[in-house]
Amino acid sequence: MERELVLIGLTISYLVIASVSDIRTKTVDDHISVALAIIGLIGFRPENLWGIIPAIIMFAVAYSTNGRPGGADIKVFAALTLSCGLWKSMFILFAAQLTNLIAFGIYRLICRAKKKEPDKSMAFIPFITLGYLLSIFCTNLI
């Protein structure tokens, strides 16, 4: 139990670092994805390999939409899925997309009220981080 909490804490720490980097520069260093993958491998269970399926879906979407979501989003999410498994990874992706949709809608409304042209994209890793946090709380409630 203690080891699992340490791994969750490390994962959250790296996700927050990745989120800040994504917000500021729209890039994330590869060492963060590698660190998340190593954390996933420390607590690895073979059934967690199924978690890569949502990451493959995310890659297919990026490939068919000319890079949205970006490469850093896919690498961070794929590394994260090593510790999550299929259903938790699907929950994270769904929660990230839903919260991103809500935030972008609010952002567009604010821009419209200020008569300002909105940016076409938003950093997505903060929403992956939020999805991961929600998955921790939701799975502990069930």
Side-chain angles (χ1 to χ4, degrees), residues 5 9-10 17 19 21 25 31 36 38-39 42-43 49 64-65 68 72 76-77 79 82 89-91 98 102-103 125:
L5 290 176
L10 284 171
I17 292 168
S19 296
S21 177
T25 65
H31 73 273
L36 286 168
I38 291 170
I39 292 168
I42 291 171
L49 282 177
S64 64
T65 59
R68 290 187 189 194
V76 166
F77 183 66
L82 288 175
S89 296
M90 288 179 70
F91 178 87
L98 183 63
I102 292 168
I125 293 176

Side-chain angles (χ1 to χ4, degrees), residues 12-26:
I12 292 169
S13 299
Y14 277 105
L15 284 172
V16 168
I17 292 168
S19 296
V20 170
S21 177
D22 196 25
I23 290 169
R24 287 186 179 169
T25 65
K26 300 265 198 241

Side-chain angles (χ1 to χ4, degrees), residues 102-119:
I102 292 168
F104 193 71
I106 293 169
Y107 171 70
R108 298 252 328 177
L109 289 174
I110 291 170
C111 286
R112 184 176 292 164
K114 292 182 176 182
K115 296 182 179 15
K116 177 182 145 188
E117 186 66 28
D119 290 336

Side-chain angles (χ1 to χ4, degrees), residues 18 22 25-30 33 54-79 93 97 100 120-128:
D22 196 25
T25 65
K26 300 265 198 241
T27 61
V28 178
D29 291 334
D30 288 339
S33 299
I56 292 170
I57 293 168
M58 190 175 181
F59 173 77
V61 168
Y63 184 76
S64 64
T65 59
N66 296 324
R68 290 187 189 194
D73 303 328
I74 296 166
K75 287 186 284 189
V76 166
F77 183 66
L93 186 58
Q97 290 177 339
N100 186 8
K120 298 292 182 199
S121 67
M122 292 180 87
F124 190 61
I125 293 176
F127 298 103
I128 293 173

